Amino acid sequence: MLCEMCGKNVPSTARARIEGSVLSLCPDCVRFGQLVDPPPVAPSAGETSGRRPVVGSSTRPAGAARRLEERDLYTEIGEMELAPDWFKRVRVAREAHAWTPEDLGKKLNEKKSVVLKIEAGSFRPPDALVRKIEQLLKVRLRADPAAAQEP
Ligand SMILES: [Zn+2]
């Protein structure tokens, strides 16, 4: 094989980089350059260390169910804040008047079922209805103490 630098015929040449170009050089000339690793012959087949099955990974459900307090819920939908036991107050006040749920429903122009839902706390009446109930039953449902100052 011929050295690409000095032209000497040698049994084997080595590839080396000299000033940017890669040449096949005899052992004498190789030291002037930087040896270039021979190109990879074949991709090393057989990745023995394959991926292991992920077992017992501590993956938690992102953002565990966020508990909303009722107060927050009302705030979010832009309604006024009610006392935690507002629906109980409705029932107690109604019973103090000796009214049946039907009676109260008629006075509120609502169905009896609506009154029952309200007293069960499963239906949060709109603000206007809250005020109506408060005036009708002389009870305060709102949590804000200032709201009690209404005549
Ligand atoms: Zn040479």
Side-chain angles (χ1 to χ4, degrees), residues 3-141:
C3 172
E4 292 181 4
M5 198 164 181
C6 66
K8 193 161 68 178
N9 195 355
V10 292
S12 70
T13 58
R15 294 184 65 77
R17 184 186 300 276
I18 292 179
E19 289 177 358
S21 50
V22 176
L23 304 172
S24 296
L25 304 177
C26 70
D28 287 338
C29 297
V30 149
R31 50 192 166 144
F32 298 117
Q34 192 177 4
L35 268 175
V36 174
D37 289 334
V41 182
S44 59
E47 294 182 4
T48 53
S49 66
R51 53 202 179 93
R52 293 177 301 174
V54 182
V55 175
S57 63
S58 63
T59 51
R60 288 180 189 170
R66 181 183 165 220
R67 281 182 56 185
L68 268 180
E69 293 182 14
E70 288 184 3
R71 192 181 55 195
D72 295 335
L73 197 59
Y74 295 151
T75 303
E76 282 186 1
I77 58 180
E79 291 181 328
M80 57 193 185
E81 187 176 350
L82 299 185
D85 61 341
W86 62 272
F87 48 94
K88 289 179 192 165
R89 297 184 189 188
V90 173
R91 182 176 54 80
V92 169
R94 174 183 59 75
E95 289 175 347
H97 285 73
W99 292 344
T100 65
E102 203 166 5
D103 291 335
L104 180 57
K106 281 178 186 172
K107 295 174 191 296
L108 294 171
N109 288 324
E110 298 288 348
K111 292 175 186 171
K112 172 190 168 188
S113 61
V114 172
V115 174
L116 291 175
K117 280 183 189 172
I118 288 174
E119 292 186 356
S122 61
F123 170 64
R124 199 280 194 191
D127 287 355
L129 189 53
V130 169
R131 290 194 184 91
K132 233 167 145 183
I133 294 170
E134 284 180 333
Q135 289 171 8
L136 204 57
L137 295 176
K138 306 284 192 289
V139 68
R140 183 165 64 90
L141 304 182

